[in-house]
Every structure is written in structure tokens, then in C-alpha cells.
Amino acid sequence: MPAVTAWPTVLLVARREALVRLRSRTFIGGTVVMVAIVAVAIFGYSLVGGRTTSLDIGFTTAAAALEQDFSATAASMGQPVTVSTVADEAAGRAQVSAGTLDVLVTGAPTAPTAVVEKTAPAVVQTALQRAVLSARFTALGIPPGVLATVTSGLQVPVDALQPARSGMTQDRVVGLGVAILLFITLGLYGSMVAQGVVEEKATRIMEILLATVRPSMLLAGKVVGIGLVALLQLAIVAAATLASVAATNVVTTPALEIGAVAGYLVWFLLGFLIYATGYATMAALVSRPEEVQSAVTPVAVFQIGSYLLAYLTLANPTSPVATIASMLPPFAPILMPVRTTGGDVPVWQVALALALTVAAIVGVTRLAGRIYANSAMRIGSRVRFMDAFRG
Amino acid sequence: MNGDARALEIDAVSKRYGDLVALERLSFDVRAGELFGFVGRNGAGKTTTMRIVLGVLSADAGEVRWGGVPLDFAARRRIGYMPEERGLYPKMRLAEQLAYLGELHGMGGPDARRAAADWLDRFGLADRRDDELQALSHGNQQRMQLAAALVCAPDVLVLDEPFAGLDPVALDVMTGVLRERADAGVAVVFSSHELDLVERICDRVGIVDHGRLVACGTVDELRREGPRRLWVDAPGAPPDWAEQIPGVAVVRADGSRVLLELGDGADDQAVLRAALESGPVREFRRAEPSLVEVFRGVVGDSQAAEAPSVV
């Protein structure tokens, strides 16, 4: 047989599917809305709750000797500050109550007082302590370099048996965001695949297609084409997120570093291959658009289950249920990325989740090819799953 | 190209749906350069046959060959197909849709786009190339459906009821295109209930009934297999003169003219002698049966109610 190789045909089908979706208002509008939500959330957070907006620190003339050390320490801690010298203490206090200064440093450099509206940020206190230490060393006639020598390595490494979670709140927000985004995108594009399958049956173009294309190529092309569009949309949203994070400097969690974000996209792709293939298979059993929803429900149940388990995972990431479910397909593609936002997932667990998921994809694809081939030409009443399986 | 040596051969194809026998060792062939009409009552097995040729259905037994080689998946790409159930993507633009189908049949991108443009032009749809299919009228959607079958420059065209629901102008365009394709060396087979159209344009006709081929040949050959009939005008003869001749029945009378059907063994010369004995004979000629009459003859009058009601 002069072989008809599968891939050119799959790519041809995928190209059509992708082009039709890329042109749709759903894609363009959806992308704009998602980017807007992410950007508004991050910029809003930086305006309302962000702590790394630059602080205005005033020094009285007496305390002005602290300025240089203070600025240097604050900068090394990642806290931008603007220092200024005020005319006198009264003028400085007035500025603090007016809000034009965040902190007024007054008194002698070796024993200053920090005047604030309500509380002094921890970073200000630390930087001040360091500047005061330096001032006291100078007062004692000790050369400035000694201080650096004495304090170097003073930060004692902590070896915690139960590692504390730093930045817990931000991780959780990111984890929740990842869960929601994966859930919505999988559902949206999964049902696009399902609708596309039924459209071909309902409009009867299936008969023309199947005269030249094998059912498995048609199925693969559809999943690949729509999957790439979904991946593109998520990549745009991810890029917008990273850009917003970089621009505002409010988020400091490793859960939003490029590597981590790329990981979420990989999990999306794997999840899409499982769910979209499942949706397409179930949709092939029916012939009318209005029957799609009920047909795909058995697959959707797993997806909704994963979403609910994501909340459990966020609440208690180390619980046995969360740990086990995050390694098992079809839950892993949503749960594992959520778990990784909190950090501290053993490598073997991620590897096991990946291996099981890939194995599941292979199994689902085989099953789907069979069901799809056996039901694609059965137009009319709903085909029973077992009938389609037997062929 | 060795032109006429090539043929689409349907060889002893059988298909059952449970207890229902859809096709029973059905055989015929469609030669390159020939327009073959495939007729039969509803449910006779026409659509099943075409689906088996296209590989959309699999036969229980028998074989379909092109140029002597069993049709495989790759060879089927050289077939243009218009299924009974029409269908294209409603939301896809015309030119893109045709080009896509061309590419699925193995054409290169530029070739497919050129062919798509040519066929749109041919069917008067060039100015609507960027419209979605769903924006077209029913008649234009029919033209698109035929263009979809033609775009891949096929060696074989298989068309299931291509003329159903066409207005007379579209009908002329379609029959013109099919004739032209056949003359260009394509093997064209189509099913239709429009027997007078089939009679007019087809080189050969196959009549299928209950999954069996009951007649096959050129229209003239089929006519010869039909009932022998004579028009006789003998104004001076008594009304029942013809019925007394052995093996002769009166089909109908039209004034003094009668249409006679001659059974096996009946002698037309005896009819002529009987007519002359009654007086002058103004007309004596063989009545060529129409395809409809042939069809009724081979398919059987008992089911004539279901047969197409032409004439």
C-alpha cells in the first residue's frame, strides 16, 4: 500500500481547528479578559497591600550620620527607600502625620528614635539597627571594616525538621489561581473539542472526511489543534502574569518564577490530552449539539473532582489524600501544579505523577481511537459506550 | 494514462445489517470516461454500495477494485464523493473549505487553493469565496457540495443523488460538469430517481433491486430488454381487434391508435396482417420503452407505488 502517513494529515486537521478557533471572538475576548484579570489583580495588590513601594525616611540633622548605612542596608534587603534630611524634629513630625514621610529618625546616631504614624516596618527597624551598630562602632573608634567582619555570617542557618512555609499567603493565592485557570481552560477547550466532534456528525461532513481521513487522525488533529490554541492562550496569560510581577515587584514567591510557570503549562498540556481526548470520545457517541453536555458528564465529573480536591490540597498540602490524589491521573494535572506552588514536593512524587499521567494518556488515546472509530459514522440516536467499545 | 483500461469494479459485494440483506453479491463496473447511472427504489442498496466504495462502510464479502487493484485507503483519495447526507462546515469560508478538502485528498497547498478558486469560479461563487457556507442559499450550498467532490481532480466520482432538489438552471450546470468530467476520462457513477435525466445523459445504467443488480447496460440495451410494444393505427378495425391475436395485450388506446404489448412468442407480423385485414393502416411502429417503463418492468409493478412517479 502506498502509505498515507498519518502526521501530515493530523497537522492539516490541527491547522484547520487552530485557525478556526484563533479567529473566533471567544479566543480573542477570552484572552483579553484573562490578561486583564491577572494584571488588575497583581497591580491592585501592589497598590493596596504591597510592602515594597518605596519608603520616605526623614532624618534630623543630628541623626543624618545614619543615612548612608541605613540606605545601603535597606537596599540590600530589597526595600527601596528615599532618604532626606528634615529641618528640625517638629517639621519632621508634621510631615509624618501629614503622610509625606513614612518614618522620621531623630536623636543621636548611637541611640535614635523612629517616629512613625502607626508602626515601623520590620525592614526599617532592621536597617536602622545596623546603622546604629555602625555608628556605635565608629563612636568607640573601631574601624568600619570590623563591623562587616564581625557580622558576616551572623545569620545562623536554620535546619528545620518541619520547614515553615514562607510567604504562605502568596503561595496560596498563586495555587488557587493556578487551580482556577487550569480548571476553566480545561473545561472551555475540552468542550470546544466535544462540540467540534458533534458538529462534524451533526453537519454530516463526517462522511466526506472519513472517506479520506482515518478516525484516529481526525481525533488527534482536533485535540492537537485546539490544544495548541489553549496553550497559546495560557502562555499569553502566563507572560502577562510574569510581566506584571516583574513590573510591580510585590510578589516574591518562587511559585511565580519562570520555571514554575512553565511547569504549570506542561501540566496543562498533559491534563488537556487526557480530558480533551475523553471529551471527544464521549461526544462521538451522540449526534446532536444539545446532547453533548450530558454525554461528556462522566468525564467532567473527574475534572470537577480535581478542582474540589485542589481546595483540599491548598488547605492541607501534606494530607495523605492530597498527596496520593496529586500523583494519580486524572487528578494529577490539576493537583500536582497546585501542590508545587507551596514548594517542598519531593521530586519522586512529581516524577511518579508525570509517569502515571503519560501512561494514562497513552491508554485513554487508545481507547478513544476505538470508541471514536466505531461511533463516528453512527448518526442518529446515542450510541451506547459498550457497543462502541465492542465495535 | 491507459484511459479506458481503467475501471471501478464492484465485484460480488455483500452486506447485511443484522437479518436485513442490504447487498447480495452485487457486481458492476464503471469505466473511465463513462457516466454511469445507478438507479433503484429507496432502500434498494444504492447508498450502501457507494459507502462501501468509499470505505465509509465495510463490506461483509466481495471487493472493490480500481484498475484491477483492490481499493485501499490511499487509492480512495483519488475519489471525489458527494454523500447522500450533504454536509460541509457551516462556519468555514468557501475557498478555505474547498482548499482544505483538496489538501485532505493529498493535494499540495497551492494546488488546492488554485483548484478551489477554479471551481468557485466555475459555479459562479467566486465573489463569495470569503463567505461562510451557512450564508449561502440552498442551491449554492448544493453547488459547493459538488465542488467539494470535484476539487481534488479525482479519477473517480461517486455521487449519491447529486440532482435532488436542484432548480433547472443548476441541473444544467451539474449535468454539464459531469459530462465534461466523464469526457476528460473520469469514471463517474451517480444515483438518481430522475430516470428521464438518467436516460438522457448516461452512457450506461445499472438497476439495483433488493441489493441485487437486476439490469445493466446502455440505455438502448436496456430498452431491448423491456416489453415489446407497438403503436398501431387502424381506423377501420373493430375496437377489440387486437385482443384476439394470441399473446397480444392492449396497453392503452388513443382514439383509433392502440398501444400493444407483445408477449413472448407473439409475432408482430401477425399483428400487422390482422390490422391490414381490417382496412387501412396509417401507423405501425415499434414503441421504444422509456427507462421508466424498463425500470417498472425489471423492478416489478407490485412495488410500483414506491417507484419514482415520472411520466
Side-chain angles (χ1 to χ4, degrees):
Chain A
M1 158 174 167
V4 175
T5 47
W7 278 105
T9 307
V10 170
L11 289 180
L12 209 56
V13 174
R15 192 188 66 190
R16 191 201 86 87
E17 298 290 342
L19 278 180
V20 168
R21 266 77 193 187
L22 284 176
R23 283 200 202 122
S24 72
R25 272 183 231 125
T26 323
F27 175 78
I28 298 163
T31 310
V32 169
V33 168
M34 279 174 157
V35 167
I37 289 176
V38 167
V40 165
I42 294 174
F43 280 92
Y45 177 62
S46 78
L47 291 177
V48 178
R51 60 180 171 80
T52 32
T53 42
S54 178
L55 294 173
D56 291 312
I57 317 290
F59 290 84
T60 57
T61 329
L66 295 172
E67 276 179 20
Q68 200 183 345
D69 271 328
F70 175 84
S71 302
T73 312
S76 74
M77 295 171 72
Q79 173 62 59
V81 292
T82 310
V83 296
S84 57
T85 309
V86 296
D88 56 26
E89 189 178 331
R93 280 176 181 273
Q95 282 190 52
V96 170
S97 56
T100 49
L101 274 185
D102 294 303
V103 182
L104 170 69
V105 182
T106 173
T110 50
T113 305
V115 179
V116 295
E117 177 80 32
K118 281 191 180 123
T119 54
V123 65
V124 170
Q125 294 196 28
T126 312
L128 262 182
Q129 280 170 17
R130 170 87 190 201
V132 169
L133 259 182
S134 179
R136 286 182 182 174
F137 269 56
T138 310
L140 292 171
I142 301 168
V146 175
L147 177 63
T149 314
V150 169
T151 54
S152 128
L154 206 56
Q155 192 76 34
V156 178
V158 177
D159 185 3
L161 296 178
Q162 281 276 321
R165 311 187 151 268
S166 61
M168 186 65 178
T169 8
Q170 284 196 0
D171 289 349
R172 279 194 171 188
V173 171
V174 173
L176 186 62
V178 167
I180 292 175
L181 213 56
L182 286 182
F183 177 71
I184 290 179
T185 318
L186 282 178
L188 192 70
Y189 285 92
S191 57
M192 256 186 219
V193 171
Q195 292 290 353
V197 168
V198 175
E199 183 196 32
E200 285 171 354
K201 283 186 81 174
T203 61
R204 313 295 167 109
I205 195 174
M206 194 69 110
E207 194 169 344
I208 292 185
L209 297 177
L210 289 187
T212 50
V213 184
R214 290 189 202 285
S216 54
M217 299 178 191
L218 203 54
L219 176 65
K222 197 170 274 298
V223 170
V224 169
I226 297 179
L228 287 178
V229 173
L231 197 63
L232 174 68
Q233 184 169 52
L234 276 187
I236 292 173
V237 173
T241 308
L242 291 174
S244 306
V245 165
T248 53
N249 211 17
V250 287
V251 183
T252 53
T253 165
L256 274 187
E257 282 165 6
I258 289 179
V261 171
Y264 308 146
L265 292 181
V266 168
W267 277 114
F268 169 77
L269 199 59
L270 296 176
F272 187 81
L273 287 175
I274 287 189
Y275 283 104
T277 310
Y279 278 128
T281 308
M282 300 310 288
L285 298 175
V286 301
S287 306
R288 287 197 300 273
E290 58 270 25
E291 291 175 314
V292 176
Q293 274 312 315
S294 70
V296 301
T297 301
V299 180
V301 162
F302 284 105
Q303 202 201 326
I304 294 166
S306 308
Y307 182 61
L308 296 179
L309 282 170
Y311 281 95
L312 192 86
T313 305
L314 286 168
N316 191 357
T318 51
S319 73
V321 175
T323 307
I324 293 168
S326 71
M327 288 183 279
L328 293 180
F331 307 111
I334 291 183
L335 294 187
M336 189 48 86
V338 167
R339 265 187 82 199
T340 58
T341 59
D344 312 325
V345 181
V347 173
W348 70 267
Q349 291 189 1
V350 178
L352 182 62
L354 280 172
L356 289 179
T357 303
V358 169
I361 290 169
V362 173
V364 167
T365 312
R366 290 249 173 96
L367 179 70
R370 187 184 175 98
I371 303 281
Y372 191 83
N374 286 333
S375 42
M377 273 308 290
R378 296 195 196 173
I379 290 163
S381 60
R382 185 170 179 161
V383 182
R384 287 175 55 232
F385 186 85
M386 285 315 292
D387 289 348
F389 181 74
R390 289 191 206 103
Chain B
M1 248 208 270
N2 51 351
D4 294 281
R6 295 182 308 163
L8 178 72
E9 297 167 87
I10 287 98
D11 185 9
V13 169
S14 298
K15 176 75 181 176
R16 286 169 163 273
Y17 298 107
D19 290 337
L20 180 80
V21 178
L23 297 179
E24 180 70 33
R25 296 186 61 78
L26 181 87
S27 300
F28 64 93
D29 61 341
V30 183
R31 297 156 201 160
E34 163 175 271
L35 205 52
F36 188 92
F38 195 37
V39 301
R41 295 184 299 126
N42 290 327
K46 302 185 296 290
T47 296
T48 300
T49 306
M50 292 187 169
R51 285 183 168 169
I52 287 171
V53 169
L54 268 295
V56 176
L57 271 181
S58 55
D60 297 336
E63 198 172 62
V64 179
R65 291 183 295 268
W66 170 246
V69 181
L71 267 185
D72 61 13
F73 190 73
R76 286 199 176 95
R77 295 188 150 195
R78 304 300 310 137
I79 304 181
Y81 180 38
M82 182 168 177
E84 180 188 33
E85 301 276 6
R86 309 288 192 251
L88 291 170
Y89 290 108
K91 289 181 185 162
M92 204 170 171
R93 296 169 189 176
L94 305 190
E96 281 178 11
Q97 182 139 225
L98 289 182
Y100 174 62
L101 292 171
E103 285 189 77
L104 283 184
H105 278 86
M107 294 176 103
D111 283 350
R113 282 190 289 277
R114 206 173 308 119
D118 287 349
W119 283 110
L120 285 176
D121 199 29
R122 182 75 192 271
F123 286 126
L125 293 168
D127 55 333
R128 309 200 62 174
R129 49 171 292 132
D130 290 327
D131 285 0
E132 291 179 353
L133 181 89
Q134 59 185 0
L136 296 184
S137 67
H138 178 74
N140 279 339
Q141 292 198 15
Q142 286 273 76
R143 289 169 204 222
M144 264 296 283
Q145 199 78 47
L146 184 62
L150 290 163
V151 71
C152 64
D155 295 330
V156 180
L157 268 174
V158 178
L159 313 166
D160 202 349
E161 303 279 351
F163 307 115
L166 287 187
D167 67 61
V169 176
L171 198 78
D172 285 347
V173 174
M174 288 242 194
T175 51
V177 168
L178 295 192
R179 184 72 259 170
E180 177 212 276
R181 289 290 88 205
D183 292 345
V186 177
V188 183
V189 54
F190 69 90
S191 67
S192 180
H193 289 311
E194 318 275 333
L195 295 185
D196 49 347
L197 177 79
V198 171
E199 185 171 4
R200 200 169 73 237
I201 67 171
C202 286
D203 300 309
R204 286 197 308 141
V205 177
I207 300 176
V208 63
D209 190 46
H210 290 100
R212 272 176 244 258
L213 197 74
V214 291
C216 186
T218 64
V219 172
D220 285 341
E221 283 166 356
L222 291 182
R223 278 180 179 147
R224 265 176 249 140
E225 286 174 23
R228 281 195 297 151
R229 289 179 173 185
L230 294 173
W231 275 112
V232 182
D233 187 3
D240 59 345
W241 69 273
E243 284 162 12
Q244 289 158 5
I245 308 165
V248 173
V250 177
V251 179
R252 67 172 179 267
D254 177 15
S256 60
R257 299 171 73 227
V258 284
L259 179 64
L260 306 178
E261 185 162 320
L262 277 60
D264 289 336
D267 182 4
D268 54 357
Q269 297 310 308
V271 174
L272 178 59
R273 277 193 297 274
L276 283 168
E277 281 164 17
S278 71
V281 175
R282 307 268 180 239
E283 182 181 2
F284 182 87
R285 74 176 165 87
R286 207 190 154 99
E288 291 277 280
S290 69
L291 187 58
V292 175
E293 286 160 335
V294 173
F295 182 87
R296 289 207 173 118
V298 293
V299 168
D301 272 331
S302 56
Q303 297 110 348
E306 268 193 81
S309 54
V310 191
V311 175

